[in-house]
Amino acid sequence: MRDIFDDIFATPPPDPIEAARRAMRPKLRKRFYARAAVGADANGAHLILLDDKPVRTPARLLLAAPTPTLARAIADEWQAQADVIDPARMPLTLLANTIIDGVAATQAAVADEVEKYLGSDLVCYRAEQPDRLIAIQDQHWNPILDWARTVLGARFVVATGMRFLAQPADAVAAARDAIPRDPWRLGAVHTVTTLTGSALIALALAEGAIDVDTACAAAHVDEDWNLDYWGRDALALARREYRLAELGAAAQVLALVS
């Protein structure tokens, strides 16, 4: 199965536009198994099995989850595939591959990358006009800043327009302490951070302060405004659908790994 898995789950293109294009016209492999299930090895790992054979990641590590419920959710993705295997419909598997092959061995670097977003977080930069957009940003973003201040003890400051504003070092340090150390939760937080442009949205989601719908709405305030103003197009909607699937998978990991 080596060549099959290497081909199906090849590293996606970093450009989200190209990722959306490929998701719209992928080269898909035929389904080659009858049943996807969950098993356990001698160490208690919750393995994903295809016809009783363990699945491996692109780096040839075992595809295994830290909890049985998460393993079942990943196996369900495989079972839900019909005549072909479509990675675009398997966001949990893609995220699991990323965590197992990448995050687990580079946790400090991944946490550092999340921290970098705290210095220029999406929710800290507001429009100067129009008033309606300012009000929508306040509605979605102020509760996240309030949560960071009251729960994390991190008092972030807000800038308007294009002006960069350095955040207080103690605020960044306090929020940094909330970045998960478990590789699965860390990988999920990193995914939400990079998809939304906001580590604070990701941390609020990880801590249960907001749900995934609230996180999505907060992440897309500016995009929704522009789509309503300029109109919608197929490529923008494809990118949005791809991004929402990844956000949903990350939220599942956060909910199922404690």
Side-chain angles (χ1 to χ4, degrees), residues 143-155 174-175 177-178 203-204 207-209:
I144 294 171
L145 290 176
D146 291 343
W147 168 81
R149 183 180 66 255
T150 58
V151 176
L152 302 183
R155 186 180 294 274
D177 287 342
L203 293 175
E207 294 296 320

Side-chain angles (χ1 to χ4, degrees), residues 11-223:
T11 302
D15 177 14
I17 295 178
E18 180 59 23
R21 288 195 183 104
R22 294 190 189 183
M24 293 171 68
R25 52 177 189 275
K27 297 179 180 178
L28 303 179
R29 287 279 187 174
K30 290 184 178 181
R31 175 168 169 162
F32 55 88
Y33 53 91
R35 186 175 69 96
V38 175
D41 66 8
N43 297 318
H46 305 286
L47 305 176
I48 314 304
L49 306 176
L50 302 181
D51 295 337
D52 297 324
K53 296 179 181 179
V55 180
R56 292 189 178 272
T57 68
R60 311 310 302 152
L61 301 176
L62 288 171
L63 180 58
T67 67
T69 49
L70 179 56
R72 181 70 261 171
I74 296 172
D76 286 345
E77 281 191 338
W78 287 89
Q79 189 62 33
Q81 302 306 298
D83 296 330
V84 296
I85 304 171
D86 186 355
R89 298 181 180 276
M90 305 176 74
L92 268 178
T93 300
L94 292 170
L95 179 55
N97 286 341
T98 298
I99 292 170
I100 295 168
D101 288 350
V103 176
T106 59
Q107 292 183 59
V110 174
D112 287 345
E113 188 170 346
V114 174
E115 181 181 2
K116 288 179 182 177
Y117 278 82
L118 293 169
S120 57
D121 202 275
L122 169 73
V123 303
C124 295
Y125 287 85
R126 309 299 175 88
E128 295 180 292
Q129 58 180 338
D131 291 343
R132 177 58 181 157
L133 176 57
I134 294 171
I136 295 173
Q137 289 178 338
D138 289 347
Q139 174 189 347
H140 288 281
W141 296 348
N142 284 356
I144 294 171
L145 290 176
D146 291 343
W147 168 81
R149 183 180 66 255
T150 58
V151 176
L152 302 183
R155 186 180 294 274
F156 286 84
V157 293
V158 173
T160 57
M162 301 298 293
R163 177 176 60 94
F164 173 76
L165 183 63
Q167 294 296 335
D170 58 347
V172 173
R176 164 77 191 222
D177 287 342
I179 297 174
R181 291 171 173 80
D182 170 82
W184 284 82
R185 291 177 60 80
L186 173 60
V189 164
H190 180 267
T191 292
V192 177
T193 298
T194 55
L195 287 171
T196 64
S198 172
L200 291 176
I201 290 176
L203 293 175
L205 180 63
E207 294 296 320
I210 59 175
D211 60 22
V212 66
D213 291 335
T214 302
C216 288
H220 294 101
V221 168
D222 291 344
E223 181 178 310

